[in-house]
Amino acid sequence: PYENTPPKCTGLKQLLDEKGPEAVRDWVLNQKKLLITDTTMRDAHQSLLSTRVRTRDMLKCAEGTAEILNDCFSLEMWGGATFDVAYRFLHESPWERLRLLREKIPNIPFQMLFRGANAVGYTNYPDNLIRAFVKEAAKSGIDVFRIFDSLNWIPGMEIAMDEVLNQGKLCEATICYTGDILDPKRDKYTLEYYVNMAKELEKRGAHLLCIKDMSGLLKPYAAKKLVSTLKQEIGIPVHLHTHDTSGNQVAAYLMAAEAGVDIVDCAIDSMSSMTSQPSMNAVVTALQGQERDTGLNPDKLQALSDYWADVRLRYAKFEAGIKNPSTDIYRYEMPGGQYTNLKSQVESIGLGHQFEAVKEMYTTVNHMLGDIVKVTPSSKMVGDLAIFMVQNDLTPENIVERGEALTFPDSVVSYFKGMMGQPAWGFPEDLQRVVLKGEEPITCRPGELLPPVDFEKAREEVRKFYDDASDHNVLSWCLYPKVVEDFYRHRQEYGYIMRMGSHVFFNGMALGETNKINIEDGKTLVIKYLGLGDLNEDGTRNVQFELNGMRREVAVPDKSATAQVRKVNLADPSDKSQVGASIPGMVSKVNVKPGDTVEANQVLAVIEAMKMETSVVARMKGTVDQVLIKEGGAVKAGELLITIK
């Protein structure tokens, strides 16, 4: 059934399940056609719509996808940022997404993006957690694991690769592309650098090699050279991933196809281009009738494209406003998914008017760090440091001197400590000293130092806020304790809202609008929104609506009512007894209370702004006098938070 046109609902997934990953590897190598991975359900919306697409909108086209994309190599539909965004912003479980999509798409392999020792998080996790996560993901329906390290540091990929091989799934090891192999002045990331890394990954048992061009820097002629060289030097299939920010990448794919690339990543055209992947429809039609014809039907693809064009309208408020291709990406070297996210991050902390300055600073920071590979989480660290420098008027010239008195964002501290791995050309020492403030960096794999997770203890912790301490919930809680706890508390308060229509979920109902919500199979509520009452003394408002024709009224807290004016006292930067906020944001943790004894550099609290966390530390030894903040409260930059005597 695996020749040319498999019948409906038998595809490469069946070959993998019956004959194993080596059989799939060989089948791919023996193909004449260019195989395609569809990224519409993951990287496309991560890059265009801040990862906000809901499971509900994927399920509605799942059966059509199974049929129309039957000949695809895989669907990239999990991992990356989709994992925590599902919990954090969409109030849904990524594990449930995986299960529901698998029920409707039994024939195409599912692919996930896995950040090596960072799994689907932003920090290094213990080895046993990485193994347990890979095992559970494999059991739950993931077939292809694309494993990378954010600094191209192979020890950071070892544990994940080994566990994927143990599970009998496809291990796609990754080289992250940066620089420009055709530019003789860029002497770090040369053709030889990539070939050596690829050979090492093949030696370690990878079934496929991915070239992950996360920032869209691989120019067409460079793609031809890199792919043709790799095809001569290694014996496993080569899978090329890029972002079309520059507008050059359909050309890069066509040249890579001529050079023998086996698989390329595309998105359906209404979810493609700009910071997303190149258009599948464009690549398919360009190769029609040619030697490497993909075998996909452009007329059928159009039906999927129309569906996604319609869905995308519901997500208009998450669009990044990028209207045209831009070759300045070659200068900034910023990953596609970060480009859109950084804008909202910068706006959330009141620096929207300085977005251009932050982009320039991103480039400056990269050079300051010695030109590093930039992809989550290393790219997030570069972004966090760029924002921090713009905020505090820092430059490469004054950062070492002025940095003595500043607390750097957690991601920056973690990077210089060696917790993201080792950059190929080391750390700038003077900057490392200022950021670490006397802490010793590590040189080994962080996983060797992290104590293993006690899963039984974790299960008890989950039971404290939710009855169902299944393996899925426990693993997710181990990765992001606060996010997962908040998700379940939300579910207990508001119920299961995955079936609510997306326009209502994001925008609420208009006055007089009637909506049907299917709360479970065969049970539909008809809700008509009638209006809002006045503000009550306790800060609530009465909401009037009809439920199945009966008039109802319920009092809900009005969040805008509580935001009365409050006076903000600023900390004096020269007074070490006053502890101030280095960024505006929300207080996610307070670790001390009045009367506690603290040491210099002890973490007193954590402030979070759009996933950018910063520890608030004591600048002197002493006793905590006042704590002026509480968890969940908002703070301004420079605000006085805690005093020490």
Side-chain angles (χ1 to χ4, degrees), residues 91-110:
H91 307 299
E92 55 182 53
S93 159
W95 299 101
E96 187 177 17
R97 175 178 300 182
L98 181 53
R99 177 176 62 79
L100 294 172
L101 282 170
R102 176 50 88 210
E103 283 169 11
K104 290 183 183 285
I105 309 176
N107 52 323
I108 310 171
F110 281 176

Side-chain angles (χ1 to χ4, degrees), residues 605-619:
V606 178
I607 296 172
E608 183 192 22
M610 279 286 293
K611 294 188 189 173
M612 173 171 157
E613 293 192 336
T614 304
S615 291
V616 175
V617 301
R619 287 162 56 200

Side-chain angles (χ1 to χ4, degrees), residues 56 58 88 110 134 138 210 242 246 254 265 275 344 376 381 417 426 433 477 491 497 507 537 547 581 620:
R56 171 190 173 89
M58 298 178 191
R88 204 187 285 258
F110 281 176
V134 168
C210 171
T242 189
S246 68
L254 297 178
D265 278 10
T275 52
S344 44
T376 309
M381 179 276 298
K417 215 162 147 179
R433 189 191 77 249
W477 181 82
R491 177 160 286 187
I497 55 177
N507 307 312
E537 279 178 10
L547 181 63
M620 57 179 264

Side-chain angles (χ1 to χ4, degrees), residues 12 15-16 18-28 30 170:
L12 221 42
L15 177 61
L16 174 66
E18 288 161 27
K19 305 262 176 75
E22 288 78 12
V24 174
R25 176 197 64 200
D26 298 344
W27 181 83
V28 170
N30 296 328
L170 283 154

Side-chain angles (χ1 to χ4, degrees), residues 390-459:
V390 169
Q391 243 178 351
N392 292 288
D393 296 326
L394 298 175
T395 63
E397 294 72 41
N398 71 15
I399 187 168
V400 172
E401 180 201 344
R402 292 195 44 206
E404 298 283 0
L406 295 170
T407 309
F408 287 82
D410 286 5
S411 60
V412 180
V413 177
S414 164
Y415 172 76
F416 278 104
K417 215 162 147 179
M419 294 309 282
M420 291 184 193
Q422 302 290 322
W425 290 275
F427 298 97
E429 285 175 15
D430 51 347
L431 192 54
Q432 188 176 36
R433 189 191 77 249
V434 169
V435 170
L436 292 185
K437 312 226 185 297
E439 255 193 284
E440 280 300 306
I442 68 166
T443 50
C444 63
R445 212 170 48 72
E448 291 171 27
L449 304 177
L450 296 169
V453 171
D454 178 343
F455 288 114
E456 280 320 301
K457 198 162 165 228
R459 209 176 291 279

Side-chain angles (χ1 to χ4, degrees), residues 581-615:
S582 56
I583 60 166
M586 190 196 80
V587 180
S588 60
K589 210 175 192 178
V590 180
N591 297 334
V592 292
K593 55 188 189 303
D596 288 0
T597 317
V598 292
E599 296 294 323
N601 290 327
Q602 184 176 328
V603 177
L604 309 177
V606 178
I607 296 172
E608 183 192 22
M610 279 286 293
K611 294 188 189 173
M612 173 171 157
E613 293 192 336
T614 304
S615 291

Side-chain angles (χ1 to χ4, degrees), residues 152-168:
N152 274 345
W153 193 52
I154 293 177
M157 301 159 70
E158 283 171 350
I159 299 291
M161 284 177 66
D162 184 58
E163 195 53 47
V164 171
L165 296 173
N166 288 346
Q167 296 303 320

Side-chain angles (χ1 to χ4, degrees), residues 356-366 385-386 389-390 394:
E356 292 304 315
V358 171
K359 282 200 300 190
E360 288 304 319
M361 189 61 83
Y362 189 93
T363 308
T364 305
V365 167
N366 179 46
L385 185 51
M389 286 179 70
V390 169
L394 298 175

